[in-house]
Amino acid sequence: MATIPTRRETEPASVPPPARPPVRPDRPVSVRTALPGTSRAPAAARRFVRAALTEWTATAGPVPGGRADRLDGPVAESLADDADVVVSELVTNAVVHAGTPVDLVCRIAPCAAQEAAGVPDDAPALVVEVTDHHPARPVHDAHGGQRADREAEFGRGLQLVATLCESWGVTYRTGSKTVWARLPVHAPPAAREARADTEEAPEPTRHATAPDASRPARTDDDGWDSRGALGFLAEASDLLAGQLDEDMVAGLAGQLLVPRLADWCAVWLHGDDGRGAAPRLARVWHSSEDRRDELRRALEKDPPRRAVLPAEAPVPVAWPDDGSGEAPGSALCCRLVAGGRELGTLVLGRAGTGGFPAEAVALLRDFSRRVALAVGAARQYTRQATISRILQRGLLPSSVAEVPGVETALIYEPRDNSLAGGDFYDVFPAGDSRWCFALGDVCGKGPEAAVVTGLARPWLRLLAREGRPVAEVLDRLNRALIEDALEAADSAARAVAASGVPGLAEASDASPARFLSLLYGELVPCADGIRCTLACAGHPLPLLLDTEGGVRPAAGSQVLLGIVDDAAYRSESFVLGAGETLLCVTDGVTERRSGSRQFDDADGLSRALADCAGLDAHMIADRIRRQVHAYADLPPDDDLALLVLRAT
């Protein structure tokens, strides 16, 4: 993770602190703001929280939680110092790893146990909550990376936050993820300094979503409160249904169950075929995180035996001996079955002698069905994504050819990293001291677009190596696309007629046409530099940057391929002199949106390229890419391809 600046560093003067609503002493102290997903967000967050603490320090009246004094003296100053570090960690983690705007909430609340019960307490805490809008992105560790076993996704990172706070955790909701931290308001400074100076990590705290009245809750060791069971299942369905990774499903299952239904739980996942391979212990969750590793080792010694487990109801199993000396409690095991296939096993335990109430067992049975369905859906997605990655490798060249006298830089970022899309590129030798390049974009997305990509790139190479001129290559490719689309439509019509299924004919008429925007060119070394001949068919125009910083289009626009069967394409030629650069992009660059505006509005791409005068090809490509990403807060919603050719 990036180094976190302290409050004594110079802050960017151009980012004013976000506006805050006035705070009244007769209501719970809480303020919130929204921050952009940029590098300036941590600094703005620090100013926001420190300003809130300053106002609360000067506000007379009781602090929520029953403490009748104000936030003043050394307590307030040390709290502000700790809050600086904590809010910087949380906001930096969200901005760097989630990449979305964040919402920041700062409030004074009672201690965690009393807050959950609604009982006033004399030990209030400062609660900081940072919410991003990319729940699939994990919370990373203190070094900015994920552990090899991926446990860091579920609450083993942010060591500075864990050191300074009495507790912290992650709450997942539909479409968002909140990382929260609680700092004691009146903790003795000496105790806090001793904790910060210790070399050993503190005892990790429980990471679970905050209790809610709509969720089932354990009232004591012997009782059970079944209120909110339907709300709990509804929340579980919402959270699990959106996950595309089976390990994330297992992790969320643990977070949902502990500590609401049990003190610990584990999820075993079986092989994709449901038999043969040994089960894999995907996730272990414990209410006391320092005991999780011991519990994992104990469970791995005795995996659940699928043959003796019933298909439906949870059954009691032996309490694992994790070496802690704790008295055995009650443990249940439940098979995860979806579509008639066994996908895994859910095991959970509850300390004490009370066991699991009948209502909890019934709730677990319903919950396990939802987990099994989510695991099945995640595996189906994984299979499809794997197939698509294999297709993607076949649709794109394994390497880009080196052209003598030309420095080449390429950036290709599909919208979905695992799915084949419609953007493609190629740079290849065509014989006779000629090199050809292409940048294309199929109209459409997904598998339909990938089909056209798989046809266009081999045809381009074949026609180019036959020595066809640039314009003729486009003419022939245009006719080939139209003929292929007609043949596909004819085949679909025959299949519909043979099936005799009512309504299928109307569905087949909606099949997408095969249109292609393409920038295709030829490079030939000459005495003055590199002679470039190119043609642009419905594609964003290529831009030529000269050595003085001037930018102009290098070709004129022509009709898309695959629309008009008798279109006559033309090519244009020019010499790319030493130090001059040709920039080719797809519409993922030019049509990058921020509200109603696009990146190329008012010649935005030309101005961005003009600022790159004097840079090499790789620096130009990287600068354009960063500007495209920074143009809007949300991630790009289209494939992005960018090719830079600079004569040396």
Side-chain angles (χ1 to χ4, degrees), residues 138-155:
V139 177
H140 282 56
D141 61 22
H143 303 289
Q146 290 177 259
R147 286 172 39 174
D149 58 4
R150 302 180 65 189
E151 290 287 302
E153 293 180 10
F154 303 101

Side-chain angles (χ1 to χ4, degrees), residues 111-133:
C111 74
Q114 301 296 335
E115 183 183 16
V119 179
D121 187 77
D122 61 354
L126 174 67
V127 179
V128 177
E129 301 175 352
V130 176
T131 301
D132 65 67
H133 303 282

Side-chain angles (χ1 to χ4, degrees), residues 521-601:
E522 179 183 274
L523 301 173
V524 179
C526 63
D528 299 327
I530 304 295
R531 175 163 294 279
C532 179
T533 303
L534 51 77
C536 184
H539 203 77
L541 298 182
L543 298 179
L544 181 62
L545 171 66
D546 60 33
T547 55
E548 302 298 326
V551 177
R552 63 177 178 84
S557 181
Q558 302 178 72
V559 68
L560 281 168
L561 298 172
I563 293 182
V564 182
D565 58 358
D566 59 350
Y569 292 92
R570 63 186 183 280
S571 61
E572 302 176 44
S573 296
F574 59 92
V575 174
L576 195 65
E580 294 185 331
T581 300
L582 183 67
L583 172 65
C584 311
V585 301
T586 60
D587 59 7
V589 174
T590 56
E591 297 180 5
R592 167 79 158 129
R593 285 191 170 275
S594 176
S596 60
R597 298 177 296 112
Q598 294 185 351
F599 184 79
D600 198 33
D601 286 349

Side-chain angles (χ1 to χ4, degrees), residues 114-196:
Q114 301 296 335
E115 183 183 16
V119 179
D121 187 77
D122 61 354
L126 174 67
V127 179
V128 177
E129 301 175 352
V130 176
T131 301
D132 65 67
H133 303 282
H134 206 317
R137 295 284 175 87
V139 177
H140 282 56
D141 61 22
H143 303 289
Q146 290 177 259
R147 286 172 39 174
D149 58 4
R150 302 180 65 189
E151 290 287 302
E153 293 180 10
F154 303 101
R156 285 229 167 170
L158 299 177
Q159 296 300 318
L160 283 175
V161 175
T163 302
L164 294 174
C165 298
E166 65 178 18
S167 62
W168 74 277
V170 185
T171 300
Y172 289 91
R173 299 183 178 89
T174 304
S176 68
K177 174 177 80 270
T178 299
V179 185
W180 54 266
R182 298 177 61 93
L183 294 96
V185 169
H186 297 284
R192 181 163 47 250
E193 292 170 3
R195 183 174 73 243

